[in-house]
Amino acid sequence: MAKKKKKGISTLSLVLVLIMIVGAALAFTGLFLDWTTTEVGSDLVEASSSSSDTLQDWADANDAAAKLDGEVKYFVVTNMFAWIAAAAVAAAAVLFVLKLLIRLKLLGVLGGVAGIVALVCGILAIVFTVLMGNEYVVDLGVLANSTTTPAIGCYLLTIGGVLGGGAAIGAAVKS
């Protein structure tokens, strides 16, 4: 006797969609929080300070540099990968919710592709943020030195992209 196929939504599918939604929330939240932290210190006077910049602050700096016929190196690709990662995680979540409701396999494939894009772009966003920060290192010996590193926003976007993208890939493979 043949087994009847279940027509309900599996628990695994619901958990994966929930992970995608959480990933999208983390990614979009990261876009608007502090993106980098700059530590400036001096061994001569034993002083240090710290400041944080959002992606918007970097965009403003890039616009100001463009007026002087320059640009903030790696900002454009960093910004592009960050926004693509957040949008791809959100798209994957929407596609898989629709797939659960409509039961169209193509939506699962498209969601899997969006998951791959989100995962790759989330990783590339943090890589280019590090490269961008390395371009703005000041080292004047004992007088002053500075380092620019990723901050909470960059980490949240990367975690959201990897988490949501991985869940989307898992859901695509499962279906």
mmCIF file of all heavy atoms in Angstrom, residues 154-172:
data_model
loop_
_atom_site.group_PDB
_atom_site.id
_atom_site.type_symbol
_atom_site.label_atom_id
_atom_site.label_comp_id
_atom_site.label_asym_id
_atom_site.label_seq_id
_atom_site.Cartn_x
_atom_site.Cartn_y
_atom_site.Cartn_z
ATOM 1 N N CYS A 154 28.461 45.993 10.931
ATOM 2 C CA CYS A 154 29.088 45.124 9.938
ATOM 3 C C CYS A 154 28.972 43.661 10.355
ATOM 4 O O CYS A 154 28.664 42.795 9.533
ATOM 5 C CB CYS A 154 30.541 45.525 9.751
ATOM 6 S SG CYS A 154 31.383 44.628 8.446
ATOM 7 N N TYR A 155 29.204 43.403 11.637
ATOM 8 C CA TYR A 155 29.098 42.026 12.121
ATOM 9 C C TYR A 155 27.666 41.509 12.045
ATOM 10 O O TYR A 155 27.432 40.358 11.673
ATOM 11 C CB TYR A 155 29.620 41.921 13.555
ATOM 12 C CG TYR A 155 31.115 42.140 13.667
ATOM 13 C CD1 TYR A 155 31.633 43.087 14.538
ATOM 14 C CD2 TYR A 155 32.003 41.413 12.891
ATOM 15 C CE1 TYR A 155 32.992 43.289 14.641
ATOM 16 C CE2 TYR A 155 33.373 41.619 12.989
ATOM 17 C CZ TYR A 155 33.857 42.561 13.868
ATOM 18 O OH TYR A 155 35.210 42.761 13.953
ATOM 19 N N LEU A 156 26.686 42.343 12.388
ATOM 20 C CA LEU A 156 25.287 41.916 12.317
ATOM 21 C C LEU A 156 24.883 41.615 10.875
ATOM 22 O O LEU A 156 24.171 40.639 10.621
ATOM 23 C CB LEU A 156 24.361 42.975 12.910
ATOM 24 C CG LEU A 156 24.304 43.062 14.425
ATOM 25 C CD1 LEU A 156 23.387 44.195 14.854
ATOM 26 C CD2 LEU A 156 23.842 41.753 15.036
ATOM 27 N N LEU A 157 25.321 42.448 9.941
ATOM 28 C CA LEU A 157 24.993 42.197 8.547
ATOM 29 C C LEU A 157 25.601 40.874 8.088
ATOM 30 O O LEU A 157 24.935 40.085 7.427
ATOM 31 C CB LEU A 157 25.500 43.323 7.651
ATOM 32 C CG LEU A 157 25.214 43.019 6.178
ATOM 33 C CD1 LEU A 157 24.099 43.879 5.652
ATOM 34 C CD2 LEU A 157 26.438 43.101 5.347
ATOM 35 N N THR A 158 26.845 40.643 8.447
ATOM 36 C CA THR A 158 27.502 39.401 8.041
ATOM 37 C C THR A 158 26.812 38.194 8.653
ATOM 38 O O THR A 158 26.554 37.204 7.965
ATOM 39 C CB THR A 158 28.991 39.434 8.427
ATOM 40 O OG1 THR A 158 29.607 40.558 7.796
ATOM 41 C CG2 THR A 158 29.700 38.164 8.007
ATOM 42 N N ILE A 159 26.494 38.277 9.943
ATOM 43 C CA ILE A 159 25.804 37.169 10.600
ATOM 44 C C ILE A 159 24.430 36.949 9.962
ATOM 45 O O ILE A 159 24.039 35.811 9.687
ATOM 46 C CB ILE A 159 25.676 37.429 12.116
ATOM 47 C CG1 ILE A 159 27.049 37.344 12.775
ATOM 48 C CG2 ILE A 159 24.711 36.446 12.770
ATOM 49 C CD1 ILE A 159 27.088 37.878 14.194
ATOM 50 N N GLY A 160 23.702 38.032 9.710
ATOM 51 C CA GLY A 160 22.389 37.912 9.080
ATOM 52 C C GLY A 160 22.479 37.324 7.685
ATOM 53 O O GLY A 160 21.661 36.476 7.304
ATOM 54 N N GLY A 161 23.466 37.751 6.896
ATOM 55 C CA GLY A 161 23.636 37.230 5.547
ATOM 56 C C GLY A 161 24.010 35.755 5.542
ATOM 57 O O GLY A 161 23.451 34.966 4.781
ATOM 58 N N VAL A 162 24.925 35.381 6.419
ATOM 59 C CA VAL A 162 25.360 33.977 6.476
ATOM 60 C C VAL A 162 24.257 33.097 7.056
ATOM 61 O O VAL A 162 23.958 32.020 6.524
ATOM 62 C CB VAL A 162 26.671 33.852 7.289
ATOM 63 C CG1 VAL A 162 27.008 32.407 7.578
ATOM 64 C CG2 VAL A 162 27.815 34.538 6.548
ATOM 65 N N LEU A 163 23.631 33.556 8.129
ATOM 66 C CA LEU A 163 22.576 32.773 8.778
ATOM 67 C C LEU A 163 21.368 32.616 7.859
ATOM 68 O O LEU A 163 20.901 31.502 7.600
ATOM 69 C CB LEU A 163 22.170 33.460 10.085
ATOM 70 C CG LEU A 163 21.257 32.716 11.029
ATOM 71 C CD1 LEU A 163 21.983 31.518 11.612
ATOM 72 C CD2 LEU A 163 20.816 33.646 12.146
ATOM 73 N N GLY A 164 20.860 33.742 7.351
ATOM 74 C CA GLY A 164 19.692 33.693 6.472
ATOM 75 C C GLY A 164 19.991 33.015 5.149
ATOM 76 O O GLY A 164 19.179 32.239 4.641
ATOM 77 N N GLY A 165 21.168 33.295 4.580
ATOM 78 C CA GLY A 165 21.557 32.661 3.332
ATOM 79 C C GLY A 165 21.742 31.163 3.493
ATOM 80 O O GLY A 165 21.312 30.379 2.647
ATOM 81 N N GLY A 166 22.360 30.759 4.585
ATOM 82 C CA GLY A 166 22.529 29.325 4.845
ATOM 83 C C GLY A 166 21.204 28.615 5.037
ATOM 84 O O GLY A 166 21.003 27.501 4.535
ATOM 85 N N ALA A 167 20.273 29.263 5.730
ATOM 86 C CA ALA A 167 18.939 28.668 5.906
ATOM 87 C C ALA A 167 18.209 28.570 4.575
ATOM 88 O O ALA A 167 17.530 27.566 4.313
ATOM 89 C CB ALA A 167 18.124 29.503 6.889
ATOM 90 N N ALA A 168 18.366 29.572 3.717
ATOM 91 C CA ALA A 168 17.727 29.534 2.399
ATOM 92 C C ALA A 168 18.318 28.423 1.539
ATOM 93 O O ALA A 168 17.575 27.710 0.845
ATOM 94 C CB ALA A 168 17.875 30.880 1.704
ATOM 95 N N ILE A 169 19.629 28.253 1.606
ATOM 96 C CA ILE A 169 20.261 27.166 0.852
ATOM 97 C C ILE A 169 19.773 25.819 1.382
ATOM 98 O O ILE A 169 19.449 24.910 0.616
ATOM 99 C CB ILE A 169 21.794 27.286 0.925
ATOM 100 C CG1 ILE A 169 22.264 28.546 0.197
ATOM 101 C CG2 ILE A 169 22.463 26.049 0.338
ATOM 102 C CD1 ILE A 169 23.703 28.931 0.468
ATOM 103 N N GLY A 170 19.712 25.703 2.706
ATOM 104 C CA GLY A 170 19.218 24.461 3.309
ATOM 105 C C GLY A 170 17.778 24.168 2.926
ATOM 106 O O GLY A 170 17.415 23.025 2.632
ATOM 107 N N ALA A 171 16.949 25.201 2.902
ATOM 108 C CA ALA A 171 15.550 25.011 2.523
ATOM 109 C C ALA A 171 15.424 24.636 1.052
ATOM 110 O O ALA A 171 14.562 23.833 0.678
ATOM 111 C CB ALA A 171 14.755 26.274 2.819
ATOM 112 N N ALA A 172 16.285 25.196 0.202
ATOM 113 C CA ALA A 172 16.238 24.861 -1.227
ATOM 114 C C ALA A 172 16.673 23.422 -1.459
ATOM 115 O O ALA A 172 16.099 22.718 -2.289
ATOM 116 C CB ALA A 172 17.116 25.823 -2.006
#
